[in-house]
Amino acid sequence: MDSEFINLTSNNLAEEHLCCIIRSKKPHPGVEAKRQWLAERLKEGHVFRKLNVKGCAFIEYAPLEIAWTPVAGDNYLYIYCLWVNGEPKGNGYGKALMEYCLADAKATGKSGVCMLGAAKQKAWLSDQSFAKKYGFEVVDSTESGYELLALSFDGTVPQFAPSAKRERIDSEELTIYYDLQCPFVYQQIEILKQYCAEHMIPASFLQVDTLQKAKGLPCVFNNWAVFYKGRFETVNLVNVAQLEKLLKK
């Protein structure tokens, strides 16, 4: 089955599709933004492995020390996303991708692998029940119900950075932290910016564009985080209808 997959590299990044949003003709701005983001991350040891067909089956992970997430720990890999959807689903590709990551961690002498989860499974987070089948366990949590799952090989465990447990900011206005790792983010940010401008809703859209910013965020973060009235709300991408519901709180 390994022959069915391909890893993105600096040599093939420009030509390969990125799984989440597949366009054969007109380029998608979110995909191109992610491509630019990946161009820098691949140099650092970031891994994007995907099924070598036009479909959605991939895993994306990086050494925890350079992963854009407020999680602290030594010698771990951090899984950003493991997603199999559509036609590829049900063919064992998720299992193959997870096992590749775990084998990579062991081969490179890592202490373990970790990922973001939640007490109740949330959209935009990889399926933690699937990860738990491999021995991932909850090693840290926040008051808002997010969890850090880890599979430790040596007994050590990572933890959320102290800032991630703060879950408060001074500003009362709608505040969204985001980076351009996810192809869906670019378009969603533009939609929400336009909606807030048209309805005169005070809002701040803060791009996380450095590792230092990501490590010091005041909440858990995979590539998106929403605050309102000073309180952390979600890591889920929100559409206009969901935003309207939030603003009524």
Side-chain angles (χ1 to χ4, degrees):
M1 182 175 279
D2 281 351
S3 62
E4 298 182 66
F5 295 91
I6 186 172
N7 285 24
L8 294 184
T9 69
S10 57
N11 293 326
N12 65 18
L13 178 59
E15 291 78 31
E16 292 292 334
H17 73 79
L18 301 184
C19 294
C20 300
I21 301 173
I22 299 174
R23 288 278 183 87
S24 57
K25 294 182 180 180
K26 186 178 179 181
H28 186 285
V31 172
E32 297 314 307
K34 179 181 178 71
R35 210 182 295 278
Q36 293 178 26
W37 188 89
L38 275 175
E40 295 300 318
R41 306 289 80 74
L42 292 176
K43 300 174 187 176
E44 303 166 349
H46 187 105
V47 175
F48 189 110
R49 182 171 176 82
K50 69 187 185 75
L51 192 63
N52 195 19
V53 298
K54 284 191 174 181
C56 184
F58 72 98
I59 188 169
E60 196 168 354
Y61 63 88
L64 181 57
E65 291 83 355
I66 55 94
W68 286 33
T69 183
V71 175
D74 295 322
N75 205 34
Y76 262 73
L77 292 181
Y78 177 81
I79 298 176
Y80 289 103
C81 190
L82 169 57
W83 192 21
V84 180
N85 195 33
E87 188 173 342
K89 198 169 184 178
N91 293 289
Y93 295 133
K95 179 176 182 289
L97 290 165
M98 175 64 86
E99 290 179 352
Y100 177 90
C101 176
L102 300 183
D104 188 8
K106 291 176 181 178
T108 52
K110 298 298 182 186
S111 296
V113 181
C114 60
M115 61 183 279
L116 182 62
K120 182 179 179 182
Q121 178 69 43
K122 298 178 182 293
W124 303 100
L125 289 181
S126 296
D127 184 356
Q128 58 243 30
S129 64
F130 176 74
K132 287 178 180 178
K133 293 178 181 178
Y134 289 87
F136 282 75
E137 299 178 337
V138 177
V139 296
D140 204 357
S141 60
T142 69
E143 289 186 2
S144 58
Y146 287 92
E147 298 175 336
L148 181 62
L149 306 181
L151 173 58
S152 177
F153 303 148
D154 62 7
T156 65
V157 294
Q159 60 187 3
F160 287 124
S163 64
K165 293 190 174 184
R166 191 182 312 147
E167 300 188 313
R168 298 287 304 182
I169 59 175
D170 292 334
S171 176
E172 291 283 310
E173 69 181 24
L174 174 69
T175 301
I176 297 178
Y177 294 91
Y178 69 97
D179 67 28
L180 297 177
Q181 180 185 5
C182 174
F184 293 100
V185 166
Y186 184 97
Q187 184 174 0
Q188 203 61 29
I189 281 291
E190 295 305 310
I191 291 171
L192 296 184
K193 281 182 178 179
Q194 181 177 347
Y195 177 84
C196 290
E198 291 175 350
H199 292 79
M200 294 184 290
I201 298 168
S204 294
F205 298 88
L206 306 177
Q207 184 175 352
V208 178
D209 53 9
T210 68
L211 175 63
Q212 183 178 12
K213 288 181 182 179
K215 289 296 188 185
L217 285 167
C219 61
V220 297
F221 181 81
N222 226 29
N223 48 53
W224 177 278
V226 180
F227 281 80
Y228 184 53
K229 294 183 178 179
R231 186 178 65 186
F232 171 62
E233 294 289 342
T234 183
V235 297
N236 294 4
L237 269 70
V238 294
N239 57 33
V240 168
Q242 292 165 332
L243 179 61
E244 289 176 339
K245 183 177 180 180
L246 172 63
L247 295 174
K248 291 178 181 177
K249 281 190 173 183

